[in-house]
Amino acid sequence: QSVLTQPPSASGTPGQRVTISCSGSSSNIGSKYVHWYQQLPGMAPKLLIYRNNQRPSGVPDRFSGSKSGTSASLAISGLRSEDEADYYCAAWDDSFYVFGTGTKVTVL
Amino acid sequence: EVQVVESGGGLVQPGGSLRLSCAASGFTFSTFSMNWVRQAPGKGLEWVSYISSSSNTIYYADSVKGRFTISRDNAKNSLYLQMNSLRAEDTAVYYCASDIPSTGASYWGQGTLVTVSS
């Protein structure tokens, strides 16, 4: 079962915009919804983006998602110190759910 | 208030068995498909298993197929994971997580740690 590929790390200063990429294939990202999760240190993951670009209630509009072909992206605008966390993309692939490799975002 | 609470984790020897439970409240559990997701120490997230709301559809990751069994009891608002023939590589925090409906409502527990070691 495959995984989705993300850069291991990303960083920015407060107020900057940070973008995280997620690369998959035609059987997952290319044909299914992409979800993004945020995992703060020592905490359970939290859904950040669903159905490619939808934000659950309570998620700030600083977070946005997009998808094109077999790739997806998460953008964090107006970076804040509390955004320092691990971020994972995910998608269904036939009969299994696949997570990305994860990206650690550091606020400098 | 929504609560999702996993239990049943602990230390088990290789080849042993463990049964995880997940108790849900504050949302209509019987209408949600559910998943188990795990995270090995210092590693990323790994999906383990899925069960539909009525238990009609069940999926497993290749890494646990034939060893783990997912089940649910909607009358008790509970999800289970029976883990047999445990290996060291099964050591992880196991999370109970709801599927994601069109509303985006998604619920996760805080996890239960399973350690497989002699």
Side-chain angles (χ1 to χ4, degrees), chain B residues 18-40:
Chain B
L18 215 52
R19 189 193 195 210
L20 304 184
S21 298
C22 168
S25 61
F27 66 100
T28 312
F29 178 79
S30 61
T31 66
F32 278 77
S33 297
M34 298 294 295
N35 298 275
W36 286 100
V37 175
R38 68 184 181 183
Q39 186 170 35

PDB file of all heavy atoms in Angstrom, chain B residues 18-40:
ATOM      1  N   LEU B  18      -4.224  -8.588  22.321  1.00  0.00           N
ATOM      2  CA  LEU B  18      -4.744  -7.446  23.074  1.00  0.00           C
ATOM      3  C   LEU B  18      -6.038  -7.010  22.394  1.00  0.00           C
ATOM      4  O   LEU B  18      -6.167  -7.114  21.162  1.00  0.00           O
ATOM      5  CB  LEU B  18      -3.725  -6.312  23.048  1.00  0.00           C
ATOM      6  CG  LEU B  18      -3.543  -5.395  24.259  1.00  0.00           C
ATOM      7  CD1 LEU B  18      -3.324  -6.186  25.536  1.00  0.00           C
ATOM      8  CD2 LEU B  18      -2.373  -4.459  24.012  1.00  0.00           C
ATOM      9  N   ARG B  19      -6.996  -6.517  23.180  1.00  0.00           N
ATOM     10  CA  ARG B  19      -8.228  -6.001  22.605  1.00  0.00           C
ATOM     11  C   ARG B  19      -8.393  -4.544  23.012  1.00  0.00           C
ATOM     12  O   ARG B  19      -8.478  -4.233  24.198  1.00  0.00           O
ATOM     13  CB  ARG B  19      -9.435  -6.791  23.088  1.00  0.00           C
ATOM     14  CG  ARG B  19     -10.721  -6.431  22.346  1.00  0.00           C
ATOM     15  CD  ARG B  19     -11.947  -6.974  23.026  1.00  0.00           C
ATOM     16  NE  ARG B  19     -13.133  -6.954  22.161  1.00  0.00           N
ATOM     17  CZ  ARG B  19     -14.368  -6.817  22.595  1.00  0.00           C
ATOM     18  NH1 ARG B  19     -14.612  -6.705  23.901  1.00  0.00           N
ATOM     19  NH2 ARG B  19     -15.390  -6.835  21.751  1.00  0.00           N
ATOM     20  N   LEU B  20      -8.428  -3.681  22.011  1.00  0.00           N
ATOM     21  CA  LEU B  20      -8.640  -2.263  22.256  1.00  0.00           C
ATOM     22  C   LEU B  20     -10.123  -1.945  22.165  1.00  0.00           C
ATOM     23  O   LEU B  20     -10.852  -2.526  21.357  1.00  0.00           O
ATOM     24  CB  LEU B  20      -7.883  -1.412  21.238  1.00  0.00           C
ATOM     25  CG  LEU B  20      -6.376  -1.639  21.126  1.00  0.00           C
ATOM     26  CD1 LEU B  20      -5.771  -0.639  20.138  1.00  0.00           C
ATOM     27  CD2 LEU B  20      -5.695  -1.572  22.464  1.00  0.00           C
ATOM     28  N   SER B  21     -10.554  -0.990  22.985  1.00  0.00           N
ATOM     29  CA  SER B  21     -11.924  -0.519  22.943  1.00  0.00           C
ATOM     30  C   SER B  21     -11.939   0.988  22.755  1.00  0.00           C
ATOM     31  O   SER B  21     -10.993   1.685  23.119  1.00  0.00           O
ATOM     32  CB  SER B  21     -12.654  -0.860  24.249  1.00  0.00           C
ATOM     33  OG  SER B  21     -12.725  -2.250  24.449  1.00  0.00           O
ATOM     34  N   CYS B  22     -13.018   1.468  22.183  1.00  0.00           N
ATOM     35  CA  CYS B  22     -13.195   2.904  21.978  1.00  0.00           C
ATOM     36  C   CYS B  22     -14.641   3.231  22.322  1.00  0.00           C
ATOM     37  O   CYS B  22     -15.558   2.715  21.682  1.00  0.00           O
ATOM     38  CB  CYS B  22     -12.886   3.266  20.533  1.00  0.00           C
ATOM     39  SG  CYS B  22     -13.399   4.933  20.045  1.00  0.00           S
ATOM     40  N   ALA B  23     -14.831   4.083  23.325  1.00  0.00           N
ATOM     41  CA  ALA B  23     -16.160   4.479  23.754  1.00  0.00           C
ATOM     42  C   ALA B  23     -16.456   5.885  23.255  1.00  0.00           C
ATOM     43  O   ALA B  23     -15.686   6.810  23.522  1.00  0.00           O
ATOM     44  CB  ALA B  23     -16.263   4.436  25.277  1.00  0.00           C
ATOM     45  N   ALA B  24     -17.543   6.032  22.523  1.00  0.00           N
ATOM     46  CA  ALA B  24     -17.904   7.314  21.934  1.00  0.00           C
ATOM     47  C   ALA B  24     -19.182   7.858  22.552  1.00  0.00           C
ATOM     48  O   ALA B  24     -20.084   7.108  22.907  1.00  0.00           O
ATOM     49  CB  ALA B  24     -18.078   7.158  20.423  1.00  0.00           C
ATOM     50  N   SER B  25     -19.231   9.182  22.670  1.00  0.00           N
ATOM     51  CA  SER B  25     -20.435   9.846  23.163  1.00  0.00           C
ATOM     52  C   SER B  25     -20.493  11.251  22.614  1.00  0.00           C
ATOM     53  O   SER B  25     -19.482  11.805  22.176  1.00  0.00           O
ATOM     54  CB  SER B  25     -20.453   9.864  24.696  1.00  0.00           C
ATOM     55  OG  SER B  25     -19.345  10.579  25.188  1.00  0.00           O
ATOM     56  N   GLY B  26     -21.684  11.824  22.614  1.00  0.00           N
ATOM     57  CA  GLY B  26     -21.851  13.203  22.160  1.00  0.00           C
ATOM     58  C   GLY B  26     -22.105  13.360  20.678  1.00  0.00           C
ATOM     59  O   GLY B  26     -22.241  14.482  20.191  1.00  0.00           O
ATOM     60  N   PHE B  27     -22.112  12.262  19.946  1.00  0.00           N
ATOM     61  CA  PHE B  27     -22.482  12.293  18.532  1.00  0.00           C
ATOM     62  C   PHE B  27     -23.167  10.968  18.192  1.00  0.00           C
ATOM     63  O   PHE B  27     -23.086  10.010  18.955  1.00  0.00           O
ATOM     64  CB  PHE B  27     -21.268  12.545  17.627  1.00  0.00           C
ATOM     65  CG  PHE B  27     -20.224  11.460  17.614  1.00  0.00           C
ATOM     66  CD1 PHE B  27     -20.167  10.535  16.574  1.00  0.00           C
ATOM     67  CD2 PHE B  27     -19.271  11.370  18.629  1.00  0.00           C
ATOM     68  CE1 PHE B  27     -19.195   9.541  16.562  1.00  0.00           C
ATOM     69  CE2 PHE B  27     -18.295  10.387  18.619  1.00  0.00           C
ATOM     70  CZ  PHE B  27     -18.260   9.459  17.584  1.00  0.00           C
ATOM     71  N   THR B  28     -23.833  10.939  17.058  1.00  0.00           N
ATOM     72  CA  THR B  28     -24.601   9.757  16.680  1.00  0.00           C
ATOM     73  C   THR B  28     -23.663   8.703  16.111  1.00  0.00           C
ATOM     74  O   THR B  28     -23.502   8.564  14.897  1.00  0.00           O
ATOM     75  CB  THR B  28     -25.699  10.125  15.670  1.00  0.00           C
ATOM     76  OG1 THR B  28     -26.417  11.269  16.133  1.00  0.00           O
ATOM     77  CG2 THR B  28     -26.675   8.965  15.505  1.00  0.00           C
ATOM     78  N   PHE B  29     -23.069   7.941  17.019  1.00  0.00           N
ATOM     79  CA  PHE B  29     -22.045   6.944  16.668  1.00  0.00           C
ATOM     80  C   PHE B  29     -22.531   5.992  15.582  1.00  0.00           C
ATOM     81  O   PHE B  29     -21.781   5.668  14.657  1.00  0.00           O
ATOM     82  CB  PHE B  29     -21.664   6.168  17.928  1.00  0.00           C
ATOM     83  CG  PHE B  29     -20.660   5.075  17.707  1.00  0.00           C
ATOM     84  CD1 PHE B  29     -19.306   5.363  17.582  1.00  0.00           C
ATOM     85  CD2 PHE B  29     -21.062   3.746  17.624  1.00  0.00           C
ATOM     86  CE1 PHE B  29     -18.375   4.357  17.388  1.00  0.00           C
ATOM     87  CE2 PHE B  29     -20.140   2.729  17.436  1.00  0.00           C
ATOM     88  CZ  PHE B  29     -18.784   3.036  17.316  1.00  0.00           C
ATOM     89  N   SER B  30     -23.771   5.588  15.656  1.00  0.00           N
ATOM     90  CA  SER B  30     -24.276   4.555  14.743  1.00  0.00           C
ATOM     91  C   SER B  30     -24.331   5.003  13.294  1.00  0.00           C
ATOM     92  O   SER B  30     -24.493   4.172  12.391  1.00  0.00           O
ATOM     93  CB  SER B  30     -25.668   4.103  15.193  1.00  0.00           C
ATOM     94  OG  SER B  30     -26.575   5.189  15.158  1.00  0.00           O
ATOM     95  N   THR B  31     -24.220   6.301  13.047  1.00  0.00           N
ATOM     96  CA  THR B  31     -24.273   6.806  11.671  1.00  0.00           C
ATOM     97  C   THR B  31     -22.880   7.071  11.088  1.00  0.00           C
ATOM     98  O   THR B  31     -22.762   7.439   9.929  1.00  0.00           O
ATOM     99  CB  THR B  31     -25.090   8.100  11.596  1.00  0.00           C
ATOM    100  OG1 THR B  31     -24.414   9.137  12.319  1.00  0.00           O
ATOM    101  CG2 THR B  31     -26.497   7.905  12.149  1.00  0.00           C
ATOM    102  N   PHE B  32     -21.845   6.883  11.901  1.00  0.00           N
ATOM    103  CA  PHE B  32     -20.484   7.166  11.449  1.00  0.00           C
ATOM    104  C   PHE B  32     -19.712   5.890  11.144  1.00  0.00           C
ATOM    105  O   PHE B  32     -19.694   4.964  11.955  1.00  0.00           O
ATOM    106  CB  PHE B  32     -19.709   7.934  12.528  1.00  0.00           C
ATOM    107  CG  PHE B  32     -19.961   9.412  12.545  1.00  0.00           C
ATOM    108  CD1 PHE B  32     -21.136   9.921  13.083  1.00  0.00           C
ATOM    109  CD2 PHE B  32     -19.027  10.295  12.026  1.00  0.00           C
ATOM    110  CE1 PHE B  32     -21.373  11.285  13.105  1.00  0.00           C
ATOM    111  CE2 PHE B  32     -19.244  11.662  12.051  1.00  0.00           C
ATOM    112  CZ  PHE B  32     -20.417  12.162  12.597  1.00  0.00           C
ATOM    113  N   SER B  33     -19.026   5.860  10.021  1.00  0.00           N
ATOM    114  CA  SER B  33     -18.007   4.850   9.805  1.00  0.00           C
ATOM    115  C   SER B  33     -16.836   5.207  10.710  1.00  0.00           C
ATOM    116  O   SER B  33     -16.637   6.374  11.039  1.00  0.00           O
ATOM    117  CB  SER B  33     -17.550   4.853   8.346  1.00  0.00           C
ATOM    118  OG  SER B  33     -18.614   4.524   7.497  1.00  0.00           O
ATOM    119  N   MET B  34     -16.062   4.204  11.096  1.00  0.00           N
ATOM    120  CA  MET B  34     -14.984   4.434  12.051  1.00  0.00           C
ATOM    121  C   MET B  34     -13.682   3.795  11.582  1.00  0.00           C
ATOM    122  O   MET B  34     -13.681   2.866  10.774  1.00  0.00           O
ATOM    123  CB  MET B  34     -15.363   3.864  13.423  1.00  0.00           C
ATOM    124  CG  MET B  34     -16.587   4.484  14.065  1.00  0.00           C
ATOM    125  SD  MET B  34     -16.375   6.221  14.508  1.00  0.00           S
ATOM    126  CE  MET B  34     -15.106   6.113  15.775  1.00  0.00           C
ATOM    127  N   ASN B  35     -12.592   4.315  12.105  1.00  0.00           N
ATOM    128  CA  ASN B  35     -11.263   3.824  11.754  1.00  0.00           C
ATOM    129  C   ASN B  35     -10.400   3.646  12.997  1.00  0.00           C
ATOM    130  O   ASN B  35     -10.626   4.289  14.022  1.00  0.00           O
ATOM    131  CB  ASN B  35     -10.537   4.837  10.845  1.00  0.00           C
ATOM    132  CG  ASN B  35     -11.224   5.074   9.534  1.00  0.00           C
ATOM    133  OD1 ASN B  35     -11.039   4.343   8.572  1.00  0.00           O
ATOM    134  ND2 ASN B  35     -12.050   6.119   9.493  1.00  0.00           N
ATOM    135  N   TRP B  36      -9.398   2.800  12.863  1.00  0.00           N
ATOM    136  CA  TRP B  36      -8.281   2.776  13.794  1.00  0.00           C
ATOM    137  C   TRP B  36      -7.060   3.272  13.030  1.00  0.00           C
ATOM    138  O   TRP B  36      -6.813   2.846  11.897  1.00  0.00           O
ATOM    139  CB  TRP B  36      -8.012   1.370  14.332  1.00  0.00           C
ATOM    140  CG  TRP B  36      -9.030   0.905  15.334  1.00  0.00           C
ATOM    141  CD1 TRP B  36     -10.094   0.075  15.116  1.00  0.00           C
ATOM    142  CD2 TRP B  36      -9.076   1.233  16.732  1.00  0.00           C
ATOM    143  NE1 TRP B  36     -10.794  -0.121  16.282  1.00  0.00           N
ATOM    144  CE2 TRP B  36     -10.192   0.570  17.289  1.00  0.00           C
ATOM    145  CE3 TRP B  36      -8.276   2.014  17.572  1.00  0.00           C
ATOM    146  CZ2 TRP B  36     -10.525   0.674  18.640  1.00  0.00           C
ATOM    147  CZ3 TRP B  36      -8.606   2.118  18.904  1.00  0.00           C
ATOM    148  CH2 TRP B  36      -9.726   1.451  19.442  1.00  0.00           C
ATOM    149  N   VAL B  37      -6.339   4.169  13.662  1.00  0.00           N
ATOM    150  CA  VAL B  37      -5.118   4.742  13.091  1.00  0.00           C
ATOM    151  C   VAL B  37      -4.034   4.617  14.161  1.00  0.00           C
ATOM    152  O   VAL B  37      -4.315   4.811  15.352  1.00  0.00           O
ATOM    153  CB  VAL B  37      -5.328   6.226  12.727  1.00  0.00           C
ATOM    154  CG1 VAL B  37      -4.011   6.856  12.250  1.00  0.00           C
ATOM    155  CG2 VAL B  37      -6.405   6.378  11.660  1.00  0.00           C
ATOM    156  N   ARG B  38      -2.821   4.292  13.767  1.00  0.00           N
ATOM    157  CA  ARG B  38      -1.759   4.166  14.756  1.00  0.00           C
ATOM    158  C   ARG B  38      -0.569   5.033  14.410  1.00  0.00           C
ATOM    159  O   ARG B  38      -0.403   5.485  13.270  1.00  0.00           O
ATOM    160  CB  ARG B  38      -1.327   2.705  14.917  1.00  0.00           C
ATOM    161  CG  ARG B  38      -0.616   2.110  13.713  1.00  0.00           C
ATOM    162  CD  ARG B  38      -0.334   0.619  13.954  1.00  0.00           C
ATOM    163  NE  ARG B  38       0.361   0.005  12.830  1.00  0.00           N
ATOM    164  CZ  ARG B  38       0.663  -1.287  12.775  1.00  0.00           C
ATOM    165  NH1 ARG B  38       0.307  -2.122  13.768  1.00  0.00           N
ATOM    166  NH2 ARG B  38       1.299  -1.769  11.722  1.00  0.00           N
ATOM    167  N   GLN B  39       0.257   5.265  15.422  1.00  0.00           N
ATOM    168  CA  GLN B  39       1.450   6.086  15.255  1.00  0.00           C
ATOM    169  C   GLN B  39       2.559   5.510  16.118  1.00  0.00           C
ATOM    170  O   GLN B  39       2.501   5.566  17.353  1.00  0.00           O
ATOM    171  CB  GLN B  39       1.166   7.532  15.644  1.00  0.00           C
ATOM    172  CG  GLN B  39       2.302   8.484  15.372  1.00  0.00           C
ATOM    173  CD  GLN B  39       1.886   9.943  15.539  1.00  0.00           C
ATOM    174  OE1 GLN B  39       1.070  10.280  16.403  1.00  0.00           O
ATOM    175  NE2 GLN B  39       2.414  10.825  14.708  1.00  0.00           N
ATOM    176  N   ALA B  40       3.545   4.928  15.472  1.00  0.00           N
ATOM    177  CA  ALA B  40       4.704   4.394  16.176  1.00  0.00           C
ATOM    178  C   ALA B  40       5.500   5.548  16.793  1.00  0.00           C
ATOM    179  O   ALA B  40       5.433   6.683  16.300  1.00  0.00           O
ATOM    180  CB  ALA B  40       5.587   3.590  15.225  1.00  0.00           C
TER     181      ALA B  40
END
